[in-house]
Amino acid sequence: MMKCRKINHFHMGIELGSILLLPEGVGLFPAVLLFHEYTGLNDVTVNHAKRIAAKGYAVLAADFYGVRNRPSSVDEARVIHRIYRNDRLLMRERSKACLTALLDQPEVDPSSIYALGFSFGGGAALELARTGFGLKGAASVYGYLDTSHPVVPGEIKCPLLAIHVNSDPVVPEEHLQMFECEMHSADVDYDLIRLDNAHHGFANPEDDVFDENLAEEMWDTVLGWME
């Protein structure tokens, strides 16, 4: 039976309440650090985590904002996510704090950690990879591709996967071009998948643009890439 437990941890004096999902069996398990969309840690993120855990991974659904800072509305979410979107070094430090919480779990294999995120969380996963930690891989699904601190050769030590929605108003073509230039300049091993006839948020069942078929294809791609 899948196990679930809450992990309380701290960063810069802020209490974070992340959720750990463990698959059946006895670890050490390969693990996924899962970052939520800009609306914060919610049932959508936890259900994503359950899906990944069913494939044999320990998954930490990270609480990026903190237990006392979770937005109660879209308007609040738009304000709080900007704190990190506009300060990428802070985003990196918060990402590392969540990674530390995952690494502290005794069931986790520290040599086999992936980062995965959607939208805001995709940006966080890529920023974590930019810190140089030895992840097995980092994947972004319609995530932010721009950064204020582009990497140089040798700084990213894992392969990347970016699933990008063409004509995405949240992640414009300009940011995609910046990302590709950064990756090529730093000689990073990365895969880029560009989707037509898709919308930002297509993998979120609570979003009006949710596309079940496209979401299933995405999960096949991401899980296959990790395996």
Side-chain angles (χ1 to χ4, degrees), residues 69-88:
N69 299 312
R70 290 182 182 167
S72 60
S73 67
V74 169
D75 287 340
E76 286 186 10
R78 286 173 178 155
V79 172
I80 191 170
H81 94 283
R82 282 285 174 187
I83 296 172
Y84 305 94
R85 183 167 190 176
N86 293 341
D87 187 344
R88 295 309 178 87

Side-chain angles (χ1 to χ4, degrees), residues 135-181:
L135 298 166
K136 289 284 284 185
S140 165
V141 181
Y142 48 79
Y144 308 157
L145 299 177
D146 64 315
T147 185
S148 58
H149 292 73
V151 294
V152 298
E155 286 189 322
I156 291 183
K157 297 179 172 61
C158 68
L160 306 181
L161 171 65
I163 298 177
H164 174 70
V165 171
N166 288 330
S167 302
D168 187 346
V170 180
V171 187
E173 183 72 18
E174 176 188 359
H175 290 180
L176 173 63
Q177 293 174 2
M178 291 169 59
F179 175 74
E180 290 194 277
C181 181

Side-chain angles (χ1 to χ4, degrees), residues 1 3 18 56-57 59 78 101 135 146 150 169 174 196 208:
M1 178 180 293
K3 300 177 183 177
S18 301
Y57 295 91
V59 187
R78 286 173 178 155
L135 298 166
D146 64 315
E174 176 188 359
D196 291 314
D208 291 340

Side-chain angles (χ1 to χ4, degrees), residues 45-105:
T45 311
V46 174
N47 287 335
H48 286 341
K50 290 178 179 178
R51 181 171 190 142
I52 301 166
K55 295 295 184 180
Y57 295 91
V59 187
L60 187 73
D63 175 13
F64 215 88
Y65 299 155
V67 295
R68 294 175 177 81
N69 299 312
R70 290 182 182 167
S72 60
S73 67
V74 169
D75 287 340
E76 286 186 10
R78 286 173 178 155
V79 172
I80 191 170
H81 94 283
R82 282 285 174 187
I83 296 172
Y84 305 94
R85 183 167 190 176
N86 293 341
D87 187 344
R88 295 309 178 87
L89 294 183
L90 176 59
M91 180 182 272
R92 292 182 188 186
E93 291 304 309
R94 181 58 53 84
S95 298
K96 288 194 292 185
C98 294
L99 174 63
T100 298
L102 176 59
L103 290 170
D104 284 344
Q105 306 312 308

